[in-house]
Amino acid sequence: MDFKVLFSQLVVLYAKLTKQQKIIIAIAIAGIISFLIFLVVFTAKKSERSNYEVLFDSLSSSDAAKVVEQLEKDSIPYELGANNVIKVPSSAVYKQRISIASLGIPKDSGVGFELFDKQEFGATSFDQKIKHLRALEGELSRTINALEPIEKASVSLALPKDTLFVSKQVEPTASVMVEMKEDRVLSAKQVRGIKNLVAASVPKLTSSNVMLVSSSGETLGDEDEMAQMGELSTVQQKYKVKEEKKRQNKILEVISPFVGGKDKVVAEVSIEFDFSIQNSTSETYDPENVVRSEQVSEEKRDGGSAEPVGGVPGTVSNIGPVQGLSGSKTTEKYEKNTGTTNYEVGKTVSVVKSQFARIKRITAAVLVDGKYKTKIDENGEPTDEVDYVALDDADISALKSLVSRSIGIDEDRGDQISVQNLQFDREKTEAVADSVTNALAMSEAYLAPFTGLFKYLFVLILLFILYKKIISPFADKMLEVSREEEELESPVLNVEDDEEEDLVEKVQAMRKKVEDQLGVGEGFNEDELKYDVILDKVRTMADDAPEDIAALLQALISEESGIPGQKS
C-alpha cells in the first residue's frame, strides 16, 4: 500500500468537504480519541484497584481512624469502603498489617479462650472463674458478630454460684447488645436464633432468660410470642388449604368419568381442624398377678432328755445308772415350716401425643352437569341440536355415596355433603376455551421450533431500524453538500468511449509530430501538448454542437460578471 498516494487522496477528499462536514468529522475524531483515552485510563485504574487487598474489615470507628492515620503517616495509598473496610496495595498488605498490629491496633477485637493460652503463676480459683466468664462472653460476641446483618455485638453473662440447696438455686441470665448495619433489621427468626445460640452455649440457661437489646436501647424479641403465633397460624392455614384442595381433586377424579369430564364438575370442600396440642398419659393395671419371688423356710428337731439318777445316796447313785436297773426316758420332736410369696402387679404406662391437626368437621358441596342427547327429527334422523337430560335420583345418590367414601365423610362426626345437578352454560366458555386451546396448540406446534431463530431475527430487525432511522439519514446529510459540489464541478464536456479512443490516437499523433519537429524531443512541453489537444477537442465539439458551446460560454460569462438567475 502506497501511503503517500493514500494521504494525497485523503487531502483531496478533505479539501472537497464543506465547513459543516469538517466540523462534524473533527468532533467525531475527537470523541473517538477521548473514548480510547478514557478506556485506557479506566482500564489502568481498574487494574490498579484490582491489586488492592483487604487490610482490615469490620473495624470500629476509633480503630479505623487510627489505622488510616498510620497509613497516611507511612504514605501508603488506601481505600476506605463500607463497614470500615480498609484496602491497601497487595504488596504492602502483610507489612502494614504487622506494623499496625505492633502498635496495638485494633484494640476492640475482643478476647476469647486464648486467655488460657498463657498460664499465670499464683492465679486463684476466682481469677480462673473471671477468665472463663470473659472468654465465654468474648467467644459469643465473636460468633454473633459473624452474623450478616450485625455490625457489632456485646454479650454479658450473669452466672450464679452453685449451691446444694434446691430452693436457693438461681437460673443464669444473659444480655446481648447488638449494633445493626445501616438499613438492616433483625427478623423474628433471627432474634430467636441469637437467643437460642446464647442459651445453648451456657449450662442451665434458657432462651427466655436471654435479653436482646439494640444499640438504640430498644428491646428485641418482645413480640416473639406473637410472631410465633403468626407463623404458626400461617402454617395452619396452608395445611388447611392443602387438605381441602386434595379432597377437591379426589372428588373431580371420581366423578369426572361419569359426567364426561372435569369441566362438568364443580366441587368445594371446607374442613374444620382442631390444632390444639393435647398430650395424655394413662396407667393400666393388669388384674392377673404375677409371682415375682417365693421363699420357703423349714425347721425340724428330734431328741430326748437324759434319765434322772435316783436312789439312796452313796456310791452307786453317784456313779450313775447301773446296769440292770430300769429307769424312765423322755422323747422330744420339733417341726416348723415358713413360706413367703411376693406378687408383682402388672402395669402399663402409655403416653399419647395428639397429631398436628384433628378434623372436627367436613362439609362438601358438589355441582354436576347433566347429560346431553342428540335430538331426533320426525324421520328419526339425528340433528345438530342436543337436549339436556337431568340426572335421576339414583344417579345423584350414587354420586353422593362415591364422594362420601372418597373424602372420608363421617356422619357421626357431623360431616355434611351436598350433591346437586344443574345445567351448565357451556356455549361461551367452550368457544373461548376452544379458541385459546387452538391458539396454544398452533403456537406450540409451529412457533416453538423457531424460538431460537426469532431471537436473532429480532436483533436483525433492531439493527435494520437503527440503520434506516439513524445511520442512513446522518450519512445522507453528510454527503448531500459534497454531491452538489461534485455535480457543479463535473465537466460539461462529456467524453464518450469512442471519442476517448480518438483522443488518445490524436495525442499520440501530435506527440510524434512534435518529436519529429523537435528532433530527439529536447525541450518537450507536455502542458502545451495538452492545451493543443483540448483546443482541438473544443473545435470538434463546436462544429458538432454549436448551441451547447454557446450556452456554455454564456454561463461562464454570467458567473464571471455575477449576473443573478443564470445557471450553468
Side-chain angles (χ1 to χ4, degrees), residues 179-440:
E179 181 179 348
M180 306 303 301
K181 294 180 180 178
E182 187 176 359
D183 299 331
R184 300 300 299 271
V185 293
L186 288 175
S187 64
K189 289 184 178 180
Q190 292 172 331
V191 171
R192 289 199 302 271
I194 295 175
K195 288 186 175 182
N196 293 332
L197 173 66
V198 176
S201 303
V202 181
K204 300 181 182 180
L205 178 61
T206 59
S207 58
S208 58
N209 289 332
V210 179
M211 180 65 67
L212 193 62
V213 183
S214 66
S215 57
S216 59
E218 180 183 0
T219 303
L220 303 178
D222 287 344
E223 67 282 357
D224 190 44
E225 184 176 356
M226 295 299 296
Q228 290 184 8
M229 292 179 62
E231 293 176 1
L232 181 61
S233 177
T234 303
V235 173
Q236 293 172 355
Q237 187 65 26
K238 289 182 179 179
Y239 180 81
K240 181 177 183 296
V241 173
K242 180 181 177 182
E243 291 297 321
E244 292 175 350
K245 191 67 176 178
K246 185 192 300 183
R247 283 168 172 78
Q248 290 176 10
N249 293 333
K250 285 185 177 180
I251 294 174
L252 297 178
E253 291 175 358
V254 170
I255 297 181
S256 58
F258 177 78
V259 297
K262 294 184 179 180
D263 56 342
K264 294 187 176 183
V265 183
V266 177
E268 290 292 335
V269 178
S270 177
I271 306 176
E272 296 180 12
F273 286 100
D274 182 10
F275 292 101
S276 61
I277 300 175
Q278 297 178 359
N279 298 331
S280 61
T281 303
S282 60
E283 294 184 2
T284 304
Y285 294 92
D286 190 358
E288 298 294 335
N289 296 329
V290 180
V291 177
R292 184 180 66 179
S293 62
E294 184 175 4
Q295 183 179 3
V296 178
S297 176
E298 183 177 354
E299 185 179 352
K300 291 183 179 180
R301 187 173 63 208
D302 190 3
S305 60
E307 296 180 357
V309 179
V312 179
T315 303
V316 178
S317 58
N318 291 335
I319 294 174
V322 180
Q323 186 177 5
L325 297 177
S326 60
S328 61
K329 295 182 179 180
T330 303
T331 303
E332 182 180 4
K333 187 176 182 181
Y334 176 78
E335 184 175 350
K336 181 181 179 182
N337 294 326
T338 303
T340 302
T341 303
N342 297 323
Y343 294 93
E344 184 69 30
V345 179
K347 182 177 69 172
T348 302
V349 179
S350 60
V351 178
V352 180
K353 293 184 177 180
S354 62
Q355 58 183 354
F356 173 70
R358 295 178 301 279
I359 298 176
K360 296 173 60 178
R361 185 184 180 189
I362 299 177
T363 56
V366 182
L367 186 63
V368 295
D369 197 5
K371 298 179 180 180
Y372 295 89
K373 291 184 178 180
T374 305
K375 284 186 178 182
I376 305 297
D377 58 7
E378 297 177 354
N379 299 327
E381 297 293 334
T383 61
D384 295 337
E385 299 180 357
V386 293
D387 285 335
Y388 172 76
V389 180
L391 300 178
D392 54 16
D393 294 338
D395 294 335
I396 298 296
S397 178
L399 292 176
K400 185 176 182 179
S401 177
L402 288 173
V403 173
S404 299
R405 293 180 178 274
S406 64
I407 63 175
I409 295 295
D410 188 0
E411 296 181 355
D412 297 337
R413 189 172 52 193
D415 299 346
Q416 294 181 357
I417 183 173
S418 175
V419 179
Q420 299 293 332
N421 174 222
L422 293 175
Q423 183 180 3
F424 288 8
D425 186 8
R426 293 290 182 181
E427 295 181 358
K428 296 181 180 180
T429 307
E430 289 179 355
V432 174
D434 292 341
S435 61
V436 173
T437 304
N438 295 334
L440 292 176

Side-chain angles (χ1 to χ4, degrees), residues 36-68:
L36 293 176
I37 294 174
F38 170 76
L39 187 62
V40 172
V41 173
F42 178 77
T43 306
K45 288 186 176 180
K46 185 176 181 181
S47 60
E48 184 180 354
R49 286 196 299 268
S50 62
N51 294 328
Y52 277 57
E53 293 185 4
V54 177
L55 179 64
F56 293 106
D57 60 350
S58 301
L59 293 176
S60 63
S61 300
S62 58
D63 287 342
K66 294 178 181 178
V67 172
V68 169

